Amino acid sequence: MSYFKTAVLLAGLTGLFMGVGYLIRGATGAMIALLVAAGTNLFAYWNSDRMVLSMYGAHEVDRRTAPELVDLVGQLAGRAGLPMPRVFLMDEAQPNAFATGRNPQNAAVAVTTGLVQSLTREELAGVIAHELAHIKHHDTLLMTVTATVAGAISMLAQFGMFFGGRRDSNNGLGAIGSIAMMILAPLGAMLVQMAISRTREYAADDLGGRIVGQPMWLASALAKIANAAHQVPNMEAERNPATAHMFIINPLSGHGVDNLFTTHPSTENRIAALRQLAAELGGSGAERRVEVQPDASARGPVQGPWGRSPPSRGPWA
């Protein structure tokens, strides 16, 4: 089903691509856009994961360089019935994470240094389980392809704005229609991202909570990450907003037009859904109340690589 969604998405974004090309240079522009779209789609399928990881300066770690992190990913991947993904670390103060790869056999989990430093081991397990859920659902192909093609559409639209559209009076749209298309094309891509992200995040939260066995660990992590996201800027994400939907929490600051297109459901709603799941699964996690605080500074200073609580073996051991 995920591959069908990916095919539909690529067809829709290719149509946007051709529409922009037509308004820039008519039928010739549409044909050129079709060829560019075909190349972009092919590149996105095989290389978009490498491109995104490189964009964020992610470097691969192993049991020699990050034993606790890699072992935690391995334990949770085993619980999820997944092959061991590659593990990457991003030198980024904002706590966040994403998964990428075209299938579970070619998947990667990337976390920021800020995430490892600010969360407890239990909370980090919840985040990793969420990302593994994306891999198990085959969301990562859809996410990385969307990021690549949406970015290409935005660039093509900017190209059209620079060179101007067709001014042929026989074309009813003319220059006004061209400008409108240059604006609507990237917005259309963003709306696709938003629709995909909202549905997949709830599903990944649910499966992630089941994988780790304690949904409230993930809920607590979401609250911390959301609190920090608006306080600690992720400059690379600000420069590449087409990748925002890949992260567990929207990494954008929320300034300017960022507020117009929220790629994720509200953190409060996600926590409420996880609290309900915890109640269904039973256990002490259902009694823990997690709130999203307006000020991330209320969390206090970071103490150690697993936050302020000592590591615990958890249900996966």
Side-chain angles (χ1 to χ4, degrees):
M1 187 63 173
S2 179
Y3 291 104
F4 174 75
K5 289 181 181 179
T6 303
V8 171
L9 171 68
L10 288 176
L13 294 181
T14 298
L16 280 175
F17 223 99
M18 293 181 65
V20 174
Y22 179 80
L23 288 171
I24 294 174
R25 286 295 181 268
T28 301
M31 183 59 63
I32 293 173
L34 176 61
L35 295 175
V36 172
T40 300
N41 292 343
L42 187 62
F43 174 85
Y45 180 81
W46 290 105
N47 298 296
S48 56
D49 54 342
R50 299 190 192 98
M51 186 183 71
V52 173
L53 289 167
S54 176
M55 181 186 302
Y56 285 96
H59 60 277
E60 190 168 5
V61 296
D62 54 26
R63 285 186 171 84
R64 179 179 58 83
T65 55
E68 290 185 82
L69 176 61
V70 173
D71 284 345
L72 183 59
V73 173
Q75 291 164 4
L76 291 169
R79 281 181 60 86
L82 289 168
M84 176 66 183
R86 298 167 69 190
V87 183
F88 287 79
L89 197 60
M90 297 174 279
D91 187 15
E92 167 60 50
Q94 183 190 90
N96 228 316
F98 66 81
T100 185
R102 62 183 180 273
N103 54 42
Q105 290 72 38
N106 296 275
V109 173
V111 302
T112 67
T113 52
L115 187 83
V116 175
Q117 292 168 357
S118 61
L119 299 188
T120 66
R121 189 174 193 271
E122 292 80 7
E123 291 164 344
L124 184 60
V127 171
I128 292 172
H130 170 98
E131 299 305 335
L132 292 174
H134 281 311
I135 294 172
K136 196 168 183 68
H137 285 156
H138 294 264
D139 290 337
T140 50
L141 173 62
L142 194 62
M143 291 153 59
T144 50
V145 167
T146 302
T148 302
V149 179
I153 287 176
S154 296
M155 286 192 298
L156 182 62
Q158 291 169 2
F159 177 85
M161 287 288 286
F162 180 77
F163 285 96
R166 296 182 68 209
R167 289 171 173 79
D168 184 354
S169 59
N170 293 328
N171 185 343
L173 292 175
I176 296 176
S178 299
I179 293 173
M181 189 62 179
M182 304 315 145
I183 296 172
L184 293 175
L187 296 189
M190 292 176 71
L191 288 170
V192 171
Q193 289 175 288
M194 181 177 66
I196 293 171
S197 297
R198 287 176 178 272
T199 56
R200 70 176 176 77
E201 290 303 332
Y202 283 120
D205 285 345
D206 184 90
L207 180 56
R210 296 176 188 275
I211 290 171
V212 80
Q214 290 287 348
M216 296 311 293
W217 291 358
L218 175 56
S220 178
L222 292 177
K224 283 188 179 181
I225 299 170
N227 289 335
H230 296 298
Q231 304 293 328
V232 182
N234 184 329
M235 299 312 298
E236 196 59 47
E238 297 289 344
R239 288 189 289 267
N240 298 279
T243 62
H245 66 288
M246 296 182 63
F247 288 83
I248 189 170
I249 291 287
N250 191 337
L252 303 179
S253 62
H255 299 148
V257 296
D258 291 350
N259 281 323
L260 297 178
F261 296 93
T262 303
T263 58
H264 293 65
S266 75
T267 305
E268 292 87 347
N269 289 345
R270 293 173 68 182
I271 289 174
L274 285 166
R275 186 178 294 118
Q276 181 177 356
L277 175 62
E280 292 173 3
L281 296 179
S284 60
E287 301 300 323
R288 183 176 177 186
R289 182 173 178 79
V290 181
E291 300 290 348
V292 180
Q293 301 295 330
D295 185 0
S297 63
R299 293 184 293 113
V302 172
Q303 299 178 17
W306 301 111
R308 289 183 290 277
S309 69
S312 72
R313 293 177 59 81
W316 58 84

